[in-house]
């Protein structure tokens, strides 16, 4: 979906296909048919943006087979779909029954991550619509925090510097500008937007490598959107891409009813890092079950958990979502005289990890939910003065 900003530029809105994980090219083609096109039809649009997730086996097959890449491009066109952004955070295995810590490997200290991201950039340059010259790729925030020290930070910095050089060359060859964005996430080496400033200024390529602001992660870490974005501006760090997602919020975690409600969201597939603000600062656990089982988190203030809940469907009381943070961040990202970013992606990948009674039981119900999320995002954008384009 495209929107005209008051400054005349085009802002793109898409949804991320990591909600339909596929590890083969045939699987990706099937998700375009079975999921993405039905969402487009529900929205009554001739064209729908999708943020493709291409697992490593898929990216490798497309890189090795130009005919397969042309076939993917043709299938996107045939189904009224367009791609201006890729999710390059998960490497592979995102559809496993247990993902947890696996999603952080390989990290930016390992050569496989640089090779994968380089291939994604080349593929995105080929997949961009003819009238679009800029693409973005979100990636993991360097590494998981444990075991990541000064030597790892130096290795990751060097890898990102090499990537920036490759992206410069790619633009020279194709005329397409591809930018990469580290996605701060609780528990990682870059947990907050503030944590991203040092590593990114060290790389010294702000035109190529910036920050992907994920509003669920922002809220989970209790970051103030205005302060976070202002600090990035001051440091000269760009925001190539933002992901619109909402976290799980519990205002009164000391109450038995609240803890019982939270327990329904503690599930075995993904990590749900949980945070609260205490007298000494931010406190947290790696997973929601850990927070509920022990005494590591104070219960005197609100808890937020890294569980991407659907934008349009708040959890039932006594829980809530951080949708207000999404709205506040979006206003700062694209509501000003000039947009800070032109690529927005709805990323609720946890539909099938929701408590059983909240999960969509059919593909049709899932398409309904994704379309409803995009409709809400569209309304937020038009309320900010952006005009939806055909």
């Amino acid at each position: 979906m495209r929107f005209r900003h008051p400054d005349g530029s085009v802002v793109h809105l898409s949804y991320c296909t990591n909600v339909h994980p596929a590890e083969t090219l045939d699987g990706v083609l099937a998700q375009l048919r079975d999921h993405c096109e039905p969402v487009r039809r529900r929205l009554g649009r001739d064209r729908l943006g999708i943020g493709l997730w291409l697992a490593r086996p898929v990216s490798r097959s497309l890189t090795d087979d130009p005919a397969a890449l042309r076939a993917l491009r043709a299938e996107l066109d045939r189904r009224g779909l367009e791609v201006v952004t890729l999710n390059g955070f998960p490497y592979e295995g995102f559809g496993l029954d247990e993902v947890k810590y696996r999603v952080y490997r390989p990290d930016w200290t390992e050569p496989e991550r640089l090779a994968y991201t380089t291939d994604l950039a080349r593929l995105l340059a080929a997949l961009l619509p003819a009238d679009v010259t800029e693409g973005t790729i979100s990636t993991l925030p360097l590494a998981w925090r444990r075991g990541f020290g000064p030597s790892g930070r130096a290795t990751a910095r060097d890898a990102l510097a090499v990537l920036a050089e490759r992206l410069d060359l790619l633009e020279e060859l194709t005329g397409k500008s591809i930018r990469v964005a580290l996605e701060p996430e609780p528990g990682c080496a870059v947990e907050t937007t503030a944590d991203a400033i040092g590593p990114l200024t060290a790389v010294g390529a702000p035109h190529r490598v910036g920050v992907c602001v994920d509003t669920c992660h922002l809220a989970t870490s209790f970051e103030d959107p205005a302060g976070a974005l202002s600090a990035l501006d001051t440091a000269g760090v760009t925001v190539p891409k933002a992901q619109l997602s909402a976290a799980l919020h519990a205002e009164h975690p000391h109450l038995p009813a609240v803890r019982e409600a939270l327990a329904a969201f503690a599930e075995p597939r993904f990590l749900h890092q949980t945070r609260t603000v205490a007298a000494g600062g931010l406190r947290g656990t790696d997973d929601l079950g850990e927070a509920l089982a022990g005494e590591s988190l104070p219960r005197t203030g609100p808890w937020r958990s890294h569980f991407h809940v659907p934008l349009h469907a708040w959890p039932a009381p006594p829980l809530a979502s951080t949708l207000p943070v999404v709205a506040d961040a979006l206003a700062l990202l694209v509501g000003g005289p000039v947009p800070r970013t032109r690529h927005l992606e709805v990323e609720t990948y946890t539909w099938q990890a929701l408590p059983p009674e909240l999960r969509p039981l059919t593909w049709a119900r899932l398409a309904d939910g994704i379309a409803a999320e995009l409709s809400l995002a569209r309304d937020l954008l038009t309320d900010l003065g952006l005009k939806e384009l055909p």
Side-chain angles (χ1 to χ4, degrees):
M1 301 167 74
R2 298 186 182 192
F3 297 81
R4 181 74 66 190
H5 189 273
D7 78 339
S9 63
V10 174
V11 173
H12 294 264
L13 173 66
S14 62
Y15 89 90
C16 187
T17 64
N18 62 356
V19 66
H20 322 297
E23 303 278 330
T24 66
L25 180 56
D26 285 345
V28 171
L29 296 174
Q31 71 184 201
L32 303 183
R33 178 194 67 223
D34 298 334
H35 300 292
C36 302
E37 186 177 11
V39 171
R40 177 182 66 77
R41 293 187 181 279
R42 280 163 172 76
L43 290 166
R45 305 293 303 162
D46 293 332
R47 173 175 54 191
L48 176 67
I50 58 172
L52 271 181
W53 174 58
L54 300 174
R56 185 52 174 149
V58 181
S59 67
R60 186 177 289 115
S61 67
L62 290 170
T63 300
D64 293 343
D65 186 352
L69 179 57
R70 289 193 297 270
L72 174 59
R73 175 64 185 268
E75 188 70 1
L76 288 165
D77 292 342
R78 188 166 77 88
R79 299 198 179 277
L81 305 169
E82 66 177 12
V83 176
V84 302
T85 189
L86 299 178
N87 188 330
F89 194 133
Y91 185 83
E92 61 186 352
F94 203 59
L96 294 174
D97 291 339
E98 182 179 333
V99 177
K100 299 289 183 182
Y101 296 96
R102 298 183 190 190
V103 76
Y104 307 107
R105 300 294 302 275
D107 60 34
W108 276 102
T109 69
E110 300 171 273
E112 294 86 354
R113 176 60 63 173
L114 174 59
Y116 172 54
T117 310
T118 299
D119 282 350
L120 290 182
R122 293 169 178 155
L123 295 172
L124 181 55
L127 292 173
L128 286 175
D131 62 341
V132 174
T133 60
E134 181 181 291
T136 55
I137 302 169
S138 48
T139 187
L140 83 162
L142 302 185
W144 185 250
R145 70 184 187 280
R146 282 195 290 270
F148 186 78
S151 63
R153 190 171 295 275
T155 301
R157 179 198 62 216
D158 292 346
L160 288 171
V162 170
L163 177 67
E165 293 174 357
R166 292 177 179 178
L167 296 178
D168 284 342
L169 179 59
L170 182 64
E171 183 172 7
E172 290 182 17
L173 294 172
T174 66
K176 305 292 186 178
S177 174
I178 307 299
R179 297 193 294 161
V180 171
L182 302 185
E183 183 185 330
E185 177 170 307
C188 292
V190 173
E191 172 155 341
T192 66
T193 54
D195 294 336
I197 291 173
L200 290 178
T201 52
V203 171
H207 62 298
R208 288 298 179 201
V209 187
V211 165
C212 172
V213 174
D214 182 304
T215 56
C216 171
H217 303 172
L218 191 80
T220 300
S221 294
F222 287 86
E223 287 196 81
D224 169 56
L229 292 172
S230 177
L232 293 179
D233 290 345
T234 300
V237 175
T238 60
V239 183
K241 172 179 179 178
Q243 290 174 322
L244 308 182
S245 54
L248 188 65
H249 179 95
E251 185 67 23
H252 303 291
H254 65 286
L255 296 177
V258 174
R259 299 175 70 78
E260 181 180 357
L262 282 171
F265 287 84
E267 54 84 36
R269 187 171 175 188
F270 300 112
L271 276 187
H272 301 295
Q273 301 94 315
T274 302
R275 298 288 185 269
T276 190
V277 177
L282 197 65
R283 297 275 298 277
T285 62
D286 284 355
D287 215 345
L288 177 56
E290 180 186 350
L292 291 169
E295 300 296 328
S296 53
L297 286 191
R299 305 180 189 182
T300 53
W303 286 7
R304 289 178 178 173
S305 187
H306 172 219
F307 197 119
H308 290 221
V309 294
L311 293 180
H312 69 292
W314 284 42
L319 302 180
S321 88
T322 59
L323 182 61
V325 177
V326 180
D328 290 347
L330 190 59
L332 294 165
L333 287 164
V334 300
V338 177
R340 281 184 164 97
T341 185
R342 291 187 293 274
H343 289 183
L344 304 170
E345 180 183 68
V346 171
E347 197 213 10
T348 305
Y349 59 83
T350 45
W351 283 93
Q352 299 305 330
L354 291 166
E357 67 275 12
L358 301 179
R359 296 174 193 169
L361 300 180
T362 64
W363 288 353
R365 293 284 297 276
L366 177 59
D368 290 342
I370 294 170
E373 288 194 288
L374 287 167
S375 293
L376 184 148
R378 174 174 57 192
D379 291 345
L380 290 175
L381 289 171
T382 56
D383 287 347
L384 291 171
L386 282 73
K387 180 180 178 182
E388 188 174 8
L389 297 174

